[in-house]
Amino acid sequence: MHTLVAIALVHTATSPFFLAMQASTCLHSITPPTPHSSAQIWSPTCKMLISPSQKTLPKIVYPPSAPPRPTLELPRPPLAPSKPNYPQSLNPIQWVVASALDTLEASLLVPFEKQHELPRTADPAVQLSGNFAPVEECPVRHDLEVAGQIPSCLRGTYVRNGANPLFLPCGGHHLFDGDGMIHAVTLGSGNSASYSCRYTRTSRLEQEAALGRSVFPKPIGELHGHSGLARVALYAARTGLGLIDGSAGSGVANAGLVYFNGRLLAMSEDDLPYHVRIDGSGDLETVGRFDFGGQLRCPMIAHPKVDPTTGELHALSYDVVKRPYLKYFKFDKTGKKTPDSDVDITLQQPTMIHDFAITENDVVIPDHQVVFRLSEMLRGGSPVLYDRRKTSRFGIMPKDAVDESGIRWYDVPDCFCFHLWNAWEERDGDGDKVVTILGSCMDPPDSIFNEHSGEGERRLRSELSEIRINTRTGQYERRVVVEGTNLEAGQVARHLLGRRTRYVYLAIAEPWPRCRGMAKVDLLTGEVSRFLYGLGRFGGEPCYVAEEEGGGEEGAGGGGGYLMSFVRDEERGRSELVIVRASDMEQVATVGLPSRVPYGFHGAFIRSEDLMEQVSSA
């Protein structure tokens, strides 16, 4: 154990935490494992579409990528880990060392992990219970049962990302650790609907499926204390030996979805995005890891922003080891990296920045109190923690900045927004520029990652809040828009992103982490309209689709729109897609689904005309 910890100390000091590590040798060809028996299978116990206003510029034709690997037939999840199915082409030294590492893991590391009680935030019995348990893939199923009338403006595919681990965890597991799976419902004419769900075939998933077990460390659930350091050391040893290939990334692509320049991209912030294609039947196919034709060489966070006016894609990348810890970059609407757009941004310490916002002219960057401190692992703790001594702040920087000299920081103490829903610019009575930021402020800030049971009845709160910053004086005003209700996971009208919006649509995240309904909040009047799913029924993030692409908001000269979300009836054991009219928050249709849909993360709706313009190559 101490040897593994020592190796891990050297490794974590020289390479990014839980990101892809470069292997010194190439991965050998691998064959799928022998299928597991049904006794090893758990029984279930239980993003964004922006069409730029102008489409005159041609799409970039990226250089051809390597030929795709044959599609690996995945076994049914979740599987109990088995002895690794290493390729026969390993040399004798590799076989000996691989066997020694496996024995070391099984005889020392796993028993050591089992000696320690896991917090609820890393306990698989909690994180994978009920409708959070994984499901197997479902090939496209047509002619689904529809109740009500699907609005004629909803012609296209609703996709939602989520975590769906292929293998049972050996140790700790957090909801965010699971392999990415996309669920898709395609809505057609004549009230027709089809459904499919597929894993995003990341490099990590395909390697683990071929080996027959999980070998990549889980960045949140497993990387705690000395055992976490040992997990990193094992990973470093296996990549160094060529037993697994870390050069193609280690991300799970389970969080965000964005449709940009003819491609649906699946993202998690520890890797490059993955290009996923929706075929003509409504099924899903992973095209491959997407680097924008060699232009992207760093991970990209799960919530890039598409400017509805320019069509540009704005993004961030953070690093937990290497200074300056943060990078901003953008692509024009054809997918070309804007010259001089890479801006290194200096932070005082590595910080979790899961989301950000854009305005018409600026980028809004949160630098809040959830930070990465790898040294905490030496003391037996989690490297993700709440730094009470740090003052939260927002950075506002022009979109056309070429270096960080253009950014200005504004302190907003005791503010942690895991998600930002929108931001916009205004002028006050004195003519000063004021940037308004709309987000859900979470308290305690690290509630998603760390347990707070020792602090009495301090339960998680995530309240919709508005922060107004005077960019000349530096003064700010902060108000809770909706008190006493957890509002998380949501959207504004995407064609108005970065401009003042009247409405925001959010999940009612109660009882946490399930969602009992969706809410429409009128920012002008403060009125909250709710649609509740009913007793024993829970859903997720509401996806807003405007009735007319590019139109105004409902009640503001536009035609309104619709909300949709997957809902699970835990009493009846039934999953469905619920469609709600946004203007009066009344249900108009449901689509019965042929298999269980676990609770997940973020989604998007892709209109049929955009599906026809998809790019099929990587």
Side-chain angles (χ1 to χ4, degrees):
M1 175 62 67
H2 294 294
T3 301
L4 287 174
V5 171
I7 295 172
L9 283 174
V10 173
H11 181 77
T12 54
T14 57
S15 61
F17 174 72
F18 75 74
L19 301 182
M21 305 179 195
Q22 299 297 320
S24 58
T25 57
C26 295
L27 182 70
H28 297 272
S29 59
I30 49 183
T31 56
T34 302
H36 295 258
S37 68
S38 59
Q40 294 175 294
I41 301 170
W42 276 1
S43 296
T45 57
C46 343
K47 288 304 196 16
M48 173 166 77
L49 170 64
I50 298 294
S51 296
S53 56
Q54 298 179 353
K55 296 185 178 179
T56 56
L57 294 180
K59 291 182 174 67
I60 285 184
V61 178
Y62 296 112
S65 58
R69 291 175 290 180
T71 300
L72 181 66
E73 184 70 24
L74 296 178
R76 295 174 60 190
L79 302 170
S82 61
K83 184 178 180 180
N85 181 30
Y86 292 121
Q88 296 297 317
S89 56
L90 292 183
N91 63 47
I93 295 177
Q94 287 176 311
W95 275 111
V96 170
V97 179
S99 178
L101 291 174
D102 296 339
T103 301
L104 194 62
E105 179 182 8
S107 61
L108 291 179
L109 179 53
V110 173
F112 178 79
E113 289 175 325
K114 293 186 182 298
Q115 292 174 7
H116 297 80
E117 183 178 357
L118 292 168
R120 291 178 59 83
T121 52
D123 186 350
V126 175
Q127 298 291 304
L128 296 177
S129 65
N131 196 43
F132 290 98
V135 296
E136 62 182 296
E137 290 188 320
C138 179
V140 64
R141 299 277 295 274
H142 299 288
D143 303 320
L144 303 182
E145 178 185 353
V146 176
Q149 186 66 38
I150 299 172
S152 60
C153 63
L154 299 182
R155 295 291 179 265
T157 301
Y158 169 60
V159 284
R160 198 221 61 197
N161 212 345
N164 199 85
L166 181 62
F167 291 97
L168 293 173
C170 293
H173 180 89
H174 188 278
L175 179 62
F176 294 172
D177 289 333
D179 299 297
M181 174 177 276
I182 298 175
H183 299 259
V185 173
T186 297
L187 306 176
S189 60
N191 232 27
S192 64
S194 65
Y195 166 80
S196 67
C197 69
R198 297 287 188 181
Y199 279 105
T200 298
R201 279 161 163 73
T202 62
S203 171
R204 173 186 186 129
L205 177 79
E206 293 205 327
Q207 290 186 66
E208 291 186 337
L211 289 171
R213 59 167 298 182
S214 175
V215 290
F216 287 78
K218 296 181 178 2
I220 302 176
E222 285 185 341
L223 299 190
H224 291 250
H226 295 164
S227 63
L229 292 172
R231 285 282 172 197
V232 174
L234 271 174
Y235 174 65
R238 284 169 172 153
T239 54
L241 280 168
L243 305 178
I244 55 177
D245 181 9
S247 65
S250 61
V252 289
N254 67 11
L257 292 171
V258 63
Y259 186 78
F260 173 69
N261 192 36
R263 292 176 174 84
L264 175 63
L265 302 179
M267 299 156 293
S268 58
E269 50 225 51
D270 51 355
D271 204 345
L272 273 63
Y274 274 80
H275 175 196
V276 177
R277 183 176 176 273
I278 303 170
D279 70 18
S281 71
D283 211 345
L284 299 157
E285 171 197 4
T286 302
V287 179
R289 193 165 178 252
F290 187 61
D291 63 1
F292 291 83
Q295 299 177 98
L296 183 63
R297 300 183 180 181
C298 61
M300 187 170 78
I301 69 169
H303 293 287
K305 309 298 180 186
V306 178
D307 188 305
T309 300
T310 66
E312 294 173 325
L313 181 76
H314 301 262
L316 297 176
S317 175
Y318 66 78
D319 196 301
V320 302
V321 173
K322 295 170 59 178
R323 295 179 183 273
Y325 302 130
L326 186 65
K327 181 190 295 290
Y328 160 75
F329 50 93
K330 64 181 177 181
F331 300 88
D332 69 21
K333 67 180 181 180
T334 69
K336 182 179 179 181
K337 196 85 167 285
T338 306
D340 300 321
S341 72
D342 282 12
V343 177
D344 289 329
I345 299 172
T346 302
L347 303 179
Q348 297 170 350
Q349 56 186 316
T351 300
M352 173 169 285
I353 301 178
H354 179 71
D355 201 356
F356 72 113
I358 61 172
T359 69
E360 185 176 359
N361 298 293
D362 298 324
V363 179
V364 179
I365 301 169
D367 179 19
H368 292 170
Q369 293 169 288
V370 175
V371 302
F372 296 97
R373 196 165 295 161
L374 305 187
S375 60
E376 289 297 314
M377 297 176 72
L378 295 174
R379 293 188 279 270
S382 168
V384 183
L385 56 87
Y386 168 30
D387 185 352
R388 290 172 170 82
R389 296 175 297 178
K390 180 178 178 180
T391 300
S392 295
R393 60 181 186 166
F394 286 93
I396 299 177
M397 181 179 72
K399 289 177 179 176
D400 58 359
V402 296
D403 57 50
E404 66 176 326
S405 64
I407 194 169
R408 185 173 177 186
W409 295 101
Y410 303 90
D411 289 348
V412 182
D414 300 317
C415 174
F416 174 74
C417 296
F418 196 56
H419 291 109
L420 299 179
W421 311 122
N422 200 15
W424 60 85
E425 305 162 30
E426 297 176 294
R427 294 286 172 178
D428 66 9
D430 297 325
D432 292 343
K433 178 180 174 180
V434 175
V435 172
T436 299
I437 304 164
L438 191 66
S440 291
C441 292
M442 188 173 291
D443 181 59
D446 62 340
S447 296
I448 295 177
F449 307 102
N450 297 312
E451 196 168 36
H452 288 270
S453 57
E455 301 184 16
E457 294 297 319
R458 192 183 181 196
R459 296 183 178 180
L460 180 146
R461 291 185 298 127
S462 185
E463 295 180 316
L464 179 64
S465 302
E466 184 181 86
I467 299 114
R468 292 171 51 86
I469 298 174
N470 185 308
T471 59
R472 183 183 66 84
T473 66
Q475 298 297 308
Y476 75 92
E477 298 175 0
R478 176 180 167 187
R479 72 179 181 98
V480 176
V481 180
V482 181
E483 295 183 350
T485 300
N486 283 346
L487 296 177
E488 251 292 349
Q491 301 177 355
V492 298
R494 292 306 190 186
H495 60 281
L496 298 175
L497 193 70
R499 281 71 179 167
R500 180 167 186 163
T501 45
R502 178 173 176 176
Y503 300 103
V504 58
Y505 308 93
L506 299 163
I508 304 173
E510 298 170 347
W512 183 270
R514 294 181 296 181
C515 303
R516 63 187 179 96
M518 56 180 76
K520 178 181 73 173
V521 181
D522 188 329
L523 300 173
L524 182 62
T525 66
E527 179 184 359
V528 181
S529 303
R530 295 174 171 85
F531 175 82
L532 303 182
Y533 300 127
L535 185 65
R537 292 165 56 87
F538 302 95
E541 174 192 71
C543 177
Y544 176 79
V545 183
E547 189 169 2
E548 295 182 10
E549 186 67 21
E553 283 187 288
E554 50 173 303
Y562 295 88
L563 300 167
M564 56 183 69
S565 176
F566 289 126
V567 172
R568 178 67 176 174
D569 190 322
E570 297 187 353
E571 302 295 328
R572 298 168 56 203
R574 176 183 171 89
S575 294
E576 58 191 21
L577 176 70
V578 170
I579 302 174
V580 174
R581 186 169 48 239
S583 60
D584 57 9
M585 296 299 283
E586 291 290 333
Q587 179 176 296
V588 298
T590 62
V591 179
L593 302 176
S595 63
R596 182 171 63 84
V597 178
Y599 303 128
F601 304 136
H602 304 288
F605 185 79
I606 307 168
R607 296 184 185 272
S608 57
E609 55 266 32
D610 292 289
L611 290 172
M612 295 177 65
E613 295 183 357
Q614 284 184 101
V615 178
S616 59
S617 66

